[in-house]
Amino acid sequence: MPDLPAVPSKPPLRPSPVPATAVVAPTPHPLTAIFRLLTTLTATAGVTLELLLGSPGRILSYFSIQSNALLAVIMVAAAHRAWTARRPLPSSVTGATLLYVTMTGLVYHVLLDHTTPPFSMTGATEPPAAWHGQWIVLQLLHTVTPAAALVDWLVLTAPGRLHLRQTAAWLLYPLAYLVFSLGRGELLIPGTTDRYLYPFLDVEQQGYRDTLANALLLGLAFYGVAVLLVALDHARPNPIRRRGKTGFRL
């Protein structure tokens, strides 16, 4: 009988540089998902109530409304991922959303809360009475949701995910909004009450030179807050408890 070829043997398995105990199976986070769903409902309620109180075309043109609508979409997606133990959303998306809603709160409380005439997205000429409809909506959109977004980032999100290289891209939307706001004002008839939505971007009252100067200062504030968020993200402790000392962070 002729010699048969040798049966090839299985190659030996190489030892893994990562021990099996270091791999942690992804686990759902129902409490995180519930908090994010509540944030989604809050932002959605604020936007919906504002639409019911004013003209939808005007209301939807405000940066505050757009940033809160974006927050609602991102939060419901993040809640689903936390509930199903999937990877978190890209930090470029969550970081941009955090920046926009944070600036929404800062601009309102620093520049708009005590203006004369009072700031209103519905065209009201009198300051809203405390704990009445318009006042509650303003607080939901400019205080509650920004605070909830910051709490989610500080308490429920792993640190070190934001990066300085992302900050330039985050400024594209505020720049696009500036172009939209000024273009919208040019298309409306002079003297229209809602021609320019924010007093610091009111070309009719201030002229283009002062308006663009305000826009530049606001853009620098956006960038400064973005850099601050990145720095804090790399300096803050990890609020998420790890399984073991060598487990992968998921």
Side-chain angles (χ1 to χ4, degrees), residues 188-223:
L188 294 176
I189 300 174
T192 305
T193 55
D194 62 344
R195 187 181 180 192
Y196 294 101
L197 302 174
Y198 292 98
F200 45 80
L201 297 179
D202 193 338
V203 176
E204 198 168 33
Q205 296 294 325
Q206 304 183 52
Y208 267 102
R209 185 183 65 178
D210 290 345
T211 298
L212 292 177
N214 292 338
L216 177 60
L217 291 175
L218 195 58
L220 292 175
F222 263 91
Y223 186 71

PDB file of all heavy atoms in Angstrom, residues 188-223:
ATOM      1  N   LEU A 188     -38.057  89.067   5.187  1.00  0.00           N
ATOM      2  CA  LEU A 188     -39.280  89.597   5.771  1.00  0.00           C
ATOM      3  C   LEU A 188     -39.371  91.103   5.567  1.00  0.00           C
ATOM      4  O   LEU A 188     -38.359  91.794   5.401  1.00  0.00           O
ATOM      5  CB  LEU A 188     -39.344  89.257   7.261  1.00  0.00           C
ATOM      6  CG  LEU A 188     -39.462  87.765   7.597  1.00  0.00           C
ATOM      7  CD1 LEU A 188     -39.426  87.565   9.103  1.00  0.00           C
ATOM      8  CD2 LEU A 188     -40.728  87.171   7.012  1.00  0.00           C
ATOM      9  N   ILE A 189     -40.587  91.605   5.600  1.00  0.00           N
ATOM     10  CA  ILE A 189     -40.828  93.036   5.382  1.00  0.00           C
ATOM     11  C   ILE A 189     -40.272  93.830   6.568  1.00  0.00           C
ATOM     12  O   ILE A 189     -40.492  93.453   7.725  1.00  0.00           O
ATOM     13  CB  ILE A 189     -42.343  93.308   5.236  1.00  0.00           C
ATOM     14  CG1 ILE A 189     -42.891  92.526   4.048  1.00  0.00           C
ATOM     15  CG2 ILE A 189     -42.620  94.797   5.086  1.00  0.00           C
ATOM     16  CD1 ILE A 189     -44.397  92.614   3.898  1.00  0.00           C
ATOM     17  N   PRO A 190     -39.536  94.923   6.334  1.00  0.00           N
ATOM     18  CA  PRO A 190     -39.049  95.743   7.452  1.00  0.00           C
ATOM     19  C   PRO A 190     -40.192  96.190   8.349  1.00  0.00           C
ATOM     20  O   PRO A 190     -41.264  96.563   7.896  1.00  0.00           O
ATOM     21  CB  PRO A 190     -38.396  96.932   6.748  1.00  0.00           C
ATOM     22  CG  PRO A 190     -37.993  96.403   5.408  1.00  0.00           C
ATOM     23  CD  PRO A 190     -39.067  95.414   5.031  1.00  0.00           C
ATOM     24  N   GLY A 191     -39.953  96.126   9.662  1.00  0.00           N
ATOM     25  CA  GLY A 191     -40.973  96.476  10.626  1.00  0.00           C
ATOM     26  C   GLY A 191     -41.758  95.293  11.161  1.00  0.00           C
ATOM     27  O   GLY A 191     -42.528  95.440  12.112  1.00  0.00           O
ATOM     28  N   THR A 192     -41.580  94.115  10.555  1.00  0.00           N
ATOM     29  CA  THR A 192     -42.253  92.917  11.055  1.00  0.00           C
ATOM     30  C   THR A 192     -41.766  92.618  12.466  1.00  0.00           C
ATOM     31  O   THR A 192     -40.557  92.662  12.743  1.00  0.00           O
ATOM     32  CB  THR A 192     -41.969  91.721  10.132  1.00  0.00           C
ATOM     33  OG1 THR A 192     -42.338  92.061   8.797  1.00  0.00           O
ATOM     34  CG2 THR A 192     -42.735  90.497  10.574  1.00  0.00           C
ATOM     35  N   THR A 193     -42.686  92.291  13.365  1.00  0.00           N
ATOM     36  CA  THR A 193     -42.322  92.127  14.777  1.00  0.00           C
ATOM     37  C   THR A 193     -41.327  91.001  15.015  1.00  0.00           C
ATOM     38  O   THR A 193     -40.493  91.080  15.907  1.00  0.00           O
ATOM     39  CB  THR A 193     -43.589  91.868  15.616  1.00  0.00           C
ATOM     40  OG1 THR A 193     -44.293  90.736  15.080  1.00  0.00           O
ATOM     41  CG2 THR A 193     -44.504  93.081  15.607  1.00  0.00           C
ATOM     42  N   ASP A 194     -41.417  89.942  14.241  1.00  0.00           N
ATOM     43  CA  ASP A 194     -40.518  88.802  14.447  1.00  0.00           C
ATOM     44  C   ASP A 194     -39.471  88.710  13.343  1.00  0.00           C
ATOM     45  O   ASP A 194     -38.998  87.629  13.023  1.00  0.00           O
ATOM     46  CB  ASP A 194     -41.314  87.497  14.523  1.00  0.00           C
ATOM     47  CG  ASP A 194     -42.062  87.206  13.224  1.00  0.00           C
ATOM     48  OD1 ASP A 194     -42.205  88.130  12.396  1.00  0.00           O
ATOM     49  OD2 ASP A 194     -42.501  86.058  13.038  1.00  0.00           O
ATOM     50  N   ARG A 195     -39.116  89.866  12.777  1.00  0.00           N
ATOM     51  CA  ARG A 195     -38.155  89.844  11.671  1.00  0.00           C
ATOM     52  C   ARG A 195     -36.814  89.264  12.136  1.00  0.00           C
ATOM     53  O   ARG A 195     -36.229  88.418  11.459  1.00  0.00           O
ATOM     54  CB  ARG A 195     -37.958  91.252  11.123  1.00  0.00           C
ATOM     55  CG  ARG A 195     -37.115  91.285   9.862  1.00  0.00           C
ATOM     56  CD  ARG A 195     -36.938  92.702   9.367  1.00  0.00           C
ATOM     57  NE  ARG A 195     -36.129  92.729   8.148  1.00  0.00           N
ATOM     58  CZ  ARG A 195     -35.617  93.850   7.619  1.00  0.00           C
ATOM     59  NH1 ARG A 195     -35.840  95.018   8.201  1.00  0.00           N
ATOM     60  NH2 ARG A 195     -34.890  93.776   6.527  1.00  0.00           N
ATOM     61  N   TYR A 196     -36.308  89.730  13.266  1.00  0.00           N
ATOM     62  CA  TYR A 196     -35.081  89.190  13.853  1.00  0.00           C
ATOM     63  C   TYR A 196     -35.443  88.624  15.228  1.00  0.00           C
ATOM     64  O   TYR A 196     -36.009  89.327  16.064  1.00  0.00           O
ATOM     65  CB  TYR A 196     -34.007  90.269  13.961  1.00  0.00           C
ATOM     66  CG  TYR A 196     -33.549  90.749  12.602  1.00  0.00           C
ATOM     67  CD1 TYR A 196     -34.027  91.952  12.075  1.00  0.00           C
ATOM     68  CD2 TYR A 196     -32.677  89.993  11.828  1.00  0.00           C
ATOM     69  CE1 TYR A 196     -33.621  92.389  10.819  1.00  0.00           C
ATOM     70  CE2 TYR A 196     -32.268  90.419  10.565  1.00  0.00           C
ATOM     71  CZ  TYR A 196     -32.752  91.616  10.079  1.00  0.00           C
ATOM     72  OH  TYR A 196     -32.351  92.043   8.834  1.00  0.00           O
ATOM     73  N   LEU A 197     -35.096  87.376  15.453  1.00  0.00           N
ATOM     74  CA  LEU A 197     -35.612  86.645  16.602  1.00  0.00           C
ATOM     75  C   LEU A 197     -34.870  86.953  17.897  1.00  0.00           C
ATOM     76  O   LEU A 197     -35.444  86.812  18.977  1.00  0.00           O
ATOM     77  CB  LEU A 197     -35.554  85.140  16.306  1.00  0.00           C
ATOM     78  CG  LEU A 197     -36.334  84.702  15.052  1.00  0.00           C
ATOM     79  CD1 LEU A 197     -36.086  83.234  14.770  1.00  0.00           C
ATOM     80  CD2 LEU A 197     -37.817  84.971  15.234  1.00  0.00           C
ATOM     81  N   TYR A 198     -33.613  87.317  17.800  1.00  0.00           N
ATOM     82  CA  TYR A 198     -32.829  87.605  18.995  1.00  0.00           C
ATOM     83  C   TYR A 198     -32.366  89.056  18.955  1.00  0.00           C
ATOM     84  O   TYR A 198     -31.919  89.540  17.901  1.00  0.00           O
ATOM     85  CB  TYR A 198     -31.623  86.673  19.078  1.00  0.00           C
ATOM     86  CG  TYR A 198     -32.009  85.229  19.329  1.00  0.00           C
ATOM     87  CD1 TYR A 198     -32.096  84.313  18.291  1.00  0.00           C
ATOM     88  CD2 TYR A 198     -32.298  84.791  20.623  1.00  0.00           C
ATOM     89  CE1 TYR A 198     -32.449  82.990  18.526  1.00  0.00           C
ATOM     90  CE2 TYR A 198     -32.650  83.467  20.869  1.00  0.00           C
ATOM     91  CZ  TYR A 198     -32.730  82.583  19.820  1.00  0.00           C
ATOM     92  OH  TYR A 198     -33.085  81.279  20.070  1.00  0.00           O
ATOM     93  N   PRO A 199     -32.432  89.774  20.079  1.00  0.00           N
ATOM     94  CA  PRO A 199     -32.067  91.198  20.066  1.00  0.00           C
ATOM     95  C   PRO A 199     -30.615  91.451  19.686  1.00  0.00           C
ATOM     96  O   PRO A 199     -30.305  92.482  19.079  1.00  0.00           O
ATOM     97  CB  PRO A 199     -32.370  91.652  21.503  1.00  0.00           C
ATOM     98  CG  PRO A 199     -32.425  90.398  22.318  1.00  0.00           C
ATOM     99  CD  PRO A 199     -32.923  89.332  21.399  1.00  0.00           C
ATOM    100  N   PHE A 200     -29.708  90.562  20.010  1.00  0.00           N
ATOM    101  CA  PHE A 200     -28.303  90.769  19.670  1.00  0.00           C
ATOM    102  C   PHE A 200     -28.009  90.454  18.201  1.00  0.00           C
ATOM    103  O   PHE A 200     -26.898  90.674  17.726  1.00  0.00           O
ATOM    104  CB  PHE A 200     -27.386  89.945  20.580  1.00  0.00           C
ATOM    105  CG  PHE A 200     -27.836  88.520  20.778  1.00  0.00           C
ATOM    106  CD1 PHE A 200     -27.591  87.548  19.833  1.00  0.00           C
ATOM    107  CD2 PHE A 200     -28.505  88.169  21.938  1.00  0.00           C
ATOM    108  CE1 PHE A 200     -28.004  86.238  20.011  1.00  0.00           C
ATOM    109  CE2 PHE A 200     -28.927  86.856  22.137  1.00  0.00           C
ATOM    110  CZ  PHE A 200     -28.682  85.893  21.182  1.00  0.00           C
ATOM    111  N   LEU A 201     -29.002  89.921  17.477  1.00  0.00           N
ATOM    112  CA  LEU A 201     -28.857  89.685  16.037  1.00  0.00           C
ATOM    113  C   LEU A 201     -29.856  90.515  15.242  1.00  0.00           C
ATOM    114  O   LEU A 201     -30.202  90.164  14.117  1.00  0.00           O
ATOM    115  CB  LEU A 201     -29.054  88.194  15.714  1.00  0.00           C
ATOM    116  CG  LEU A 201     -28.048  87.216  16.317  1.00  0.00           C
ATOM    117  CD1 LEU A 201     -28.389  85.782  15.932  1.00  0.00           C
ATOM    118  CD2 LEU A 201     -26.631  87.560  15.888  1.00  0.00           C
ATOM    119  N   ASP A 202     -30.294  91.636  15.814  1.00  0.00           N
ATOM    120  CA  ASP A 202     -31.298  92.492  15.194  1.00  0.00           C
ATOM    121  C   ASP A 202     -30.617  93.539  14.321  1.00  0.00           C
ATOM    122  O   ASP A 202     -30.190  94.598  14.800  1.00  0.00           O
ATOM    123  CB  ASP A 202     -32.156  93.158  16.267  1.00  0.00           C
ATOM    124  CG  ASP A 202     -33.397  93.812  15.688  1.00  0.00           C
ATOM    125  OD1 ASP A 202     -33.394  94.127  14.482  1.00  0.00           O
ATOM    126  OD2 ASP A 202     -34.376  94.000  16.437  1.00  0.00           O
ATOM    127  N   VAL A 203     -30.515  93.259  13.037  1.00  0.00           N
ATOM    128  CA  VAL A 203     -29.867  94.183  12.099  1.00  0.00           C
ATOM    129  C   VAL A 203     -30.664  95.468  11.988  1.00  0.00           C
ATOM    130  O   VAL A 203     -30.095  96.565  11.815  1.00  0.00           O
ATOM    131  CB  VAL A 203     -29.707  93.511  10.720  1.00  0.00           C
ATOM    132  CG1 VAL A 203     -29.119  94.480   9.714  1.00  0.00           C
ATOM    133  CG2 VAL A 203     -28.831  92.272  10.840  1.00  0.00           C
ATOM    134  N   GLU A 204     -31.963  95.386  12.086  1.00  0.00           N
ATOM    135  CA  GLU A 204     -32.818  96.568  11.937  1.00  0.00           C
ATOM    136  C   GLU A 204     -32.555  97.595  13.031  1.00  0.00           C
ATOM    137  O   GLU A 204     -32.616  98.802  12.796  1.00  0.00           O
ATOM    138  CB  GLU A 204     -34.284  96.133  11.981  1.00  0.00           C
ATOM    139  CG  GLU A 204     -35.248  97.162  11.425  1.00  0.00           C
ATOM    140  CD  GLU A 204     -36.636  96.569  11.228  1.00  0.00           C
ATOM    141  OE1 GLU A 204     -37.026  95.686  12.023  1.00  0.00           O
ATOM    142  OE2 GLU A 204     -37.310  96.991  10.282  1.00  0.00           O
ATOM    143  N   GLN A 205     -32.232  97.139  14.225  1.00  0.00           N
ATOM    144  CA  GLN A 205     -31.985  98.040  15.345  1.00  0.00           C
ATOM    145  C   GLN A 205     -30.512  98.411  15.494  1.00  0.00           C
ATOM    146  O   GLN A 205     -30.183  99.529  15.907  1.00  0.00           O
ATOM    147  CB  GLN A 205     -32.478  97.389  16.652  1.00  0.00           C
ATOM    148  CG  GLN A 205     -33.976  97.142  16.696  1.00  0.00           C
ATOM    149  CD  GLN A 205     -34.772  98.434  16.693  1.00  0.00           C
ATOM    150  OE1 GLN A 205     -34.348  99.445  17.268  1.00  0.00           O
ATOM    151  NE2 GLN A 205     -35.935  98.421  16.052  1.00  0.00           N
ATOM    152  N   GLN A 206     -29.602  97.492  15.158  1.00  0.00           N
ATOM    153  CA  GLN A 206     -28.188  97.707  15.451  1.00  0.00           C
ATOM    154  C   GLN A 206     -27.319  97.901  14.215  1.00  0.00           C
ATOM    155  O   GLN A 206     -26.190  98.377  14.340  1.00  0.00           O
ATOM    156  CB  GLN A 206     -27.649  96.516  16.260  1.00  0.00           C
ATOM    157  CG  GLN A 206     -28.412  96.246  17.543  1.00  0.00           C
ATOM    158  CD  GLN A 206     -27.805  95.115  18.332  1.00  0.00           C
ATOM    159  OE1 GLN A 206     -26.611  95.099  18.614  1.00  0.00           O
ATOM    160  NE2 GLN A 206     -28.627  94.152  18.705  1.00  0.00           N
ATOM    161  N   GLY A 207     -27.811  97.524  13.058  1.00  0.00           N
ATOM    162  CA  GLY A 207     -26.971  97.570  11.869  1.00  0.00           C
ATOM    163  C   GLY A 207     -26.103  96.330  11.760  1.00  0.00           C
ATOM    164  O   GLY A 207     -25.920  95.590  12.737  1.00  0.00           O
ATOM    165  N   TYR A 208     -25.550  96.128  10.570  1.00  0.00           N
ATOM    166  CA  TYR A 208     -24.777  94.909  10.334  1.00  0.00           C
ATOM    167  C   TYR A 208     -23.461  94.898  11.108  1.00  0.00           C
ATOM    168  O   TYR A 208     -23.009  93.842  11.546  1.00  0.00           O
ATOM    169  CB  TYR A 208     -24.518  94.731   8.841  1.00  0.00           C
ATOM    170  CG  TYR A 208     -25.549  93.874   8.161  1.00  0.00           C
ATOM    171  CD1 TYR A 208     -26.565  94.437   7.388  1.00  0.00           C
ATOM    172  CD2 TYR A 208     -25.543  92.487   8.305  1.00  0.00           C
ATOM    173  CE1 TYR A 208     -27.527  93.646   6.767  1.00  0.00           C
ATOM    174  CE2 TYR A 208     -26.496  91.685   7.700  1.00  0.00           C
ATOM    175  CZ  TYR A 208     -27.478  92.280   6.940  1.00  0.00           C
ATOM    176  OH  TYR A 208     -28.443  91.489   6.338  1.00  0.00           O
ATOM    177  N   ARG A 209     -22.835  96.049  11.285  1.00  0.00           N
ATOM    178  CA  ARG A 209     -21.529  96.051  11.951  1.00  0.00           C
ATOM    179  C   ARG A 209     -21.655  95.547  13.387  1.00  0.00           C
ATOM    180  O   ARG A 209     -20.924  94.639  13.810  1.00  0.00           O
ATOM    181  CB  ARG A 209     -20.936  97.459  11.940  1.00  0.00           C
ATOM    182  CG  ARG A 209     -19.510  97.513  12.505  1.00  0.00           C
ATOM    183  CD  ARG A 209     -18.974  98.924  12.548  1.00  0.00           C
ATOM    184  NE  ARG A 209     -19.735  99.749  13.486  1.00  0.00           N
ATOM    185  CZ  ARG A 209     -19.460 101.023  13.759  1.00  0.00           C
ATOM    186  NH1 ARG A 209     -18.457 101.629  13.122  1.00  0.00           N
ATOM    187  NH2 ARG A 209     -20.187 101.711  14.619  1.00  0.00           N
ATOM    188  N   ASP A 210     -22.594  96.117  14.155  1.00  0.00           N
ATOM    189  CA  ASP A 210     -22.748  95.690  15.539  1.00  0.00           C
ATOM    190  C   ASP A 210     -23.305  94.265  15.621  1.00  0.00           C
ATOM    191  O   ASP A 210     -22.932  93.498  16.519  1.00  0.00           O
ATOM    192  CB  ASP A 210     -23.674  96.653  16.268  1.00  0.00           C
ATOM    193  CG  ASP A 210     -23.034  98.014  16.496  1.00  0.00           C
ATOM    194  OD1 ASP A 210     -21.802  98.108  16.344  1.00  0.00           O
ATOM    195  OD2 ASP A 210     -23.766  98.966  16.801  1.00  0.00           O
ATOM    196  N   THR A 211     -24.188  93.926  14.695  1.00  0.00           N
ATOM    197  CA  THR A 211     -24.749  92.574  14.712  1.00  0.00           C
ATOM    198  C   THR A 211     -23.667  91.532  14.469  1.00  0.00           C
ATOM    199  O   THR A 211     -23.596  90.512  15.162  1.00  0.00           O
ATOM    200  CB  THR A 211     -25.851  92.444  13.658  1.00  0.00           C
ATOM    201  OG1 THR A 211     -26.908  93.361  13.960  1.00  0.00           O
ATOM    202  CG2 THR A 211     -26.407  91.033  13.630  1.00  0.00           C
ATOM    203  N   LEU A 212     -22.811  91.771  13.486  1.00  0.00           N
ATOM    204  CA  LEU A 212     -21.735  90.819  13.203  1.00  0.00           C
ATOM    205  C   LEU A 212     -20.710  90.787  14.328  1.00  0.00           C
ATOM    206  O   LEU A 212     -20.113  89.734  14.608  1.00  0.00           O
ATOM    207  CB  LEU A 212     -21.073  91.162  11.871  1.00  0.00           C
ATOM    208  CG  LEU A 212     -21.946  90.959  10.630  1.00  0.00           C
ATOM    209  CD1 LEU A 212     -21.207  91.393   9.369  1.00  0.00           C
ATOM    210  CD2 LEU A 212     -22.412  89.509  10.509  1.00  0.00           C
ATOM    211  N   ALA A 213     -20.497  91.938  14.988  1.00  0.00           N
ATOM    212  CA  ALA A 213     -19.601  91.954  16.144  1.00  0.00           C
ATOM    213  C   ALA A 213     -20.189  91.095  17.271  1.00  0.00           C
ATOM    214  O   ALA A 213     -19.468  90.323  17.920  1.00  0.00           O
ATOM    215  CB  ALA A 213     -19.378  93.383  16.620  1.00  0.00           C
ATOM    216  N   ASN A 214     -21.493  91.217  17.495  1.00  0.00           N
ATOM    217  CA  ASN A 214     -22.148  90.363  18.504  1.00  0.00           C
ATOM    218  C   ASN A 214     -22.045  88.892  18.126  1.00  0.00           C
ATOM    219  O   ASN A 214     -21.814  88.027  18.985  1.00  0.00           O
ATOM    220  CB  ASN A 214     -23.617  90.758  18.634  1.00  0.00           C
ATOM    221  CG  ASN A 214     -23.809  92.128  19.253  1.00  0.00           C
ATOM    222  OD1 ASN A 214     -22.922  92.636  19.946  1.00  0.00           O
ATOM    223  ND2 ASN A 214     -24.950  92.735  19.007  1.00  0.00           N
ATOM    224  N   ALA A 215     -22.224  88.602  16.834  1.00  0.00           N
ATOM    225  CA  ALA A 215     -22.141  87.215  16.378  1.00  0.00           C
ATOM    226  C   ALA A 215     -20.731  86.664  16.584  1.00  0.00           C
ATOM    227  O   ALA A 215     -20.559  85.496  16.961  1.00  0.00           O
ATOM    228  CB  ALA A 215     -22.542  87.128  14.909  1.00  0.00           C
ATOM    229  N   LEU A 216     -19.714  87.500  16.354  1.00  0.00           N
ATOM    230  CA  LEU A 216     -18.335  87.058  16.562  1.00  0.00           C
ATOM    231  C   LEU A 216     -18.083  86.744  18.032  1.00  0.00           C
ATOM    232  O   LEU A 216     -17.485  85.709  18.368  1.00  0.00           O
ATOM    233  CB  LEU A 216     -17.368  88.130  16.071  1.00  0.00           C
ATOM    234  CG  LEU A 216     -15.875  87.837  16.292  1.00  0.00           C
ATOM    235  CD1 LEU A 216     -15.452  86.566  15.568  1.00  0.00           C
ATOM    236  CD2 LEU A 216     -15.020  89.031  15.838  1.00  0.00           C
ATOM    237  N   LEU A 217     -18.540  87.632  18.919  1.00  0.00           N
ATOM    238  CA  LEU A 217     -18.369  87.381  20.357  1.00  0.00           C
ATOM    239  C   LEU A 217     -19.107  86.120  20.783  1.00  0.00           C
ATOM    240  O   LEU A 217     -18.594  85.323  21.579  1.00  0.00           O
ATOM    241  CB  LEU A 217     -18.872  88.587  21.149  1.00  0.00           C
ATOM    242  CG  LEU A 217     -18.049  89.876  21.027  1.00  0.00           C
ATOM    243  CD1 LEU A 217     -18.736  91.016  21.765  1.00  0.00           C
ATOM    244  CD2 LEU A 217     -16.638  89.668  21.536  1.00  0.00           C
ATOM    245  N   LEU A 218     -20.290  85.932  20.231  1.00  0.00           N
ATOM    246  CA  LEU A 218     -21.052  84.729  20.575  1.00  0.00           C
ATOM    247  C   LEU A 218     -20.362  83.477  20.038  1.00  0.00           C
ATOM    248  O   LEU A 218     -20.335  82.434  20.703  1.00  0.00           O
ATOM    249  CB  LEU A 218     -22.461  84.842  20.013  1.00  0.00           C
ATOM    250  CG  LEU A 218     -23.507  83.871  20.565  1.00  0.00           C
ATOM    251  CD1 LEU A 218     -23.625  84.012  22.068  1.00  0.00           C
ATOM    252  CD2 LEU A 218     -24.854  84.115  19.908  1.00  0.00           C
ATOM    253  N   GLY A 219     -19.781  83.574  18.828  1.00  0.00           N
ATOM    254  CA  GLY A 219     -19.042  82.444  18.280  1.00  0.00           C
ATOM    255  C   GLY A 219     -17.835  82.090  19.131  1.00  0.00           C
ATOM    256  O   GLY A 219     -17.537  80.908  19.353  1.00  0.00           O
ATOM    257  N   LEU A 220     -17.132  83.117  19.624  1.00  0.00           N
ATOM    258  CA  LEU A 220     -16.002  82.865  20.520  1.00  0.00           C
ATOM    259  C   LEU A 220     -16.470  82.210  21.817  1.00  0.00           C
ATOM    260  O   LEU A 220     -15.773  81.347  22.371  1.00  0.00           O
ATOM    261  CB  LEU A 220     -15.269  84.175  20.814  1.00  0.00           C
ATOM    262  CG  LEU A 220     -14.534  84.812  19.625  1.00  0.00           C
ATOM    263  CD1 LEU A 220     -13.965  86.163  20.025  1.00  0.00           C
ATOM    264  CD2 LEU A 220     -13.429  83.897  19.109  1.00  0.00           C
ATOM    265  N   ALA A 221     -17.657  82.622  22.305  1.00  0.00           N
ATOM    266  CA  ALA A 221     -18.202  81.995  23.501  1.00  0.00           C
ATOM    267  C   ALA A 221     -18.528  80.530  23.237  1.00  0.00           C
ATOM    268  O   ALA A 221     -18.259  79.657  24.081  1.00  0.00           O
ATOM    269  CB  ALA A 221     -19.448  82.750  23.959  1.00  0.00           C
ATOM    270  N   PHE A 222     -19.100  80.237  22.073  1.00  0.00           N
ATOM    271  CA  PHE A 222     -19.368  78.849  21.704  1.00  0.00           C
ATOM    272  C   PHE A 222     -18.079  78.039  21.728  1.00  0.00           C
ATOM    273  O   PHE A 222     -18.041  76.937  22.300  1.00  0.00           O
ATOM    274  CB  PHE A 222     -19.993  78.787  20.310  1.00  0.00           C
ATOM    275  CG  PHE A 222     -21.486  78.688  20.297  1.00  0.00           C
ATOM    276  CD1 PHE A 222     -22.262  79.832  20.248  1.00  0.00           C
ATOM    277  CD2 PHE A 222     -22.121  77.464  20.331  1.00  0.00           C
ATOM    278  CE1 PHE A 222     -23.649  79.758  20.232  1.00  0.00           C
ATOM    279  CE2 PHE A 222     -23.498  77.363  20.316  1.00  0.00           C
ATOM    280  CZ  PHE A 222     -24.265  78.518  20.264  1.00  0.00           C
ATOM    281  N   TYR A 223     -17.037  78.573  21.102  1.00  0.00           N
ATOM    282  CA  TYR A 223     -15.783  77.824  21.027  1.00  0.00           C
ATOM    283  C   TYR A 223     -15.156  77.681  22.411  1.00  0.00           C
ATOM    284  O   TYR A 223     -14.627  76.614  22.762  1.00  0.00           O
ATOM    285  CB  TYR A 223     -14.810  78.513  20.091  1.00  0.00           C
ATOM    286  CG  TYR A 223     -13.545  77.719  19.862  1.00  0.00           C
ATOM    287  CD1 TYR A 223     -13.569  76.544  19.113  1.00  0.00           C
ATOM    288  CD2 TYR A 223     -12.329  78.134  20.417  1.00  0.00           C
ATOM    289  CE1 TYR A 223     -12.416  75.802  18.920  1.00  0.00           C
ATOM    290  CE2 TYR A 223     -11.174  77.392  20.210  1.00  0.00           C
ATOM    291  CZ  TYR A 223     -11.224  76.234  19.466  1.00  0.00           C
ATOM    292  OH  TYR A 223     -10.081  75.495  19.279  1.00  0.00           O
TER     293      TYR A 223
END
